[in-house]
Amino acid sequence: MIEAKKYSATGEQTGTVELPESLFAVEADNPEAVVYEVVKMYMANQRQGTSAVKFRADVKGSGRKLYRQKGTGNARVGNRRTVVRVGGGNAFGPIPKDWSRHIPIKKKRLALKIALSDLAKSGNVVVIDDLKFETPNYKAARQIIDKVLPNSGKKLVLVDNSDASTIRSFSNMTDVQLDRADGVYAYEVLHCEHLVLTSDALKKVVEVFGK
């Protein structure tokens, strides 16, 4: 049984909560390979693939031969757009490319469960009753995080909605990343040292990814 510390909305510890084993106690064959493949595909999908150069057909300039082939004493030459002249085209350069790769849903979810299980086993998962603010309040949000997790390190906070006040309260914290519970993915879990979930976010994670 995997348990996490539970805190009130003000940051006071109120007990513990049992984490579902379907998400936080998952074992897999060769988990490092699964996580590596999913993260590699995710990083590839972030590439824009818009790097490009202008070839001789793309640059400006006349297509007429600059001077005759023989009889001038100079080397043979083509038009102004040749790759050997300044301002000419590029011979071998990058072209727009689609780097995206398909990530199987089952494998993507397995990698997420492996990452969540690793944090849970290390005792780095905590649950808070609520994280809602009537108006954006950086100071109050900072105090709650410092109470719950006084240790330094990157923290991932999962909420169950897109409340603007909550988002703005955490937006300027360099050590905190905020995300919706139904949109969490393995890469961001692997890049945090602590995971904070609201009670509703925990239910949402189980509902979406616990199958």
Side-chain angles (χ1 to χ4, degrees), residues 126-186:
V126 298
V127 178
I128 297 181
D129 286 335
D130 196 6
L131 275 178
K132 292 182 180 179
F133 304 90
E134 294 182 0
T135 58
N137 194 330
Y138 173 89
K139 184 177 181 180
R142 183 77 262 179
Q143 288 176 347
I144 294 174
I145 292 297
D146 290 341
K147 276 186 178 181
V148 174
L149 295 171
N151 299 327
S152 60
K154 293 185 177 180
K155 307 166 185 68
L156 174 62
V157 179
L158 298 182
V159 294
D160 65 319
N161 53 35
S162 299
D163 180 64
S165 296
T166 304
I167 295 173
R168 294 179 63 183
S169 297
F170 288 94
S171 61
N172 289 333
M173 297 186 189
T174 57
D175 60 333
V176 176
Q177 180 180 351
L178 190 73
D179 197 4
R180 287 174 56 101
D182 56 359
V184 64
Y185 48 94

Side-chain angles (χ1 to χ4, degrees), residues 23-24 42 108-109 112-113 115-116 119 156-159 177-190 192 195 197 201 204-206 208-209:
L23 277 178
F24 296 92
Y42 170 80
K108 182 167 61 174
R109 290 193 173 184
L112 172 62
K113 293 176 181 179
L116 291 174
L119 281 180
L156 174 62
V157 179
L158 298 182
V159 294
Q177 180 180 351
L178 190 73
D179 197 4
R180 287 174 56 101
D182 56 359
V184 64
Y185 48 94
Y187 181 81
E188 63 178 352
V189 176
L190 292 170
C192 73
L195 177 63
L197 305 98
K204 180 63 70 173
V205 169
V206 174
V208 176
F209 303 105

Side-chain angles (χ1 to χ4, degrees), residues 26-28 34 105-115:
V26 174
E27 295 183 0
V34 175
I105 293 179
K106 288 185 178 180
K107 186 172 291 186
K108 182 167 61 174
R109 290 193 173 184
L110 179 58
L112 172 62
K113 293 176 181 179
I114 292 172

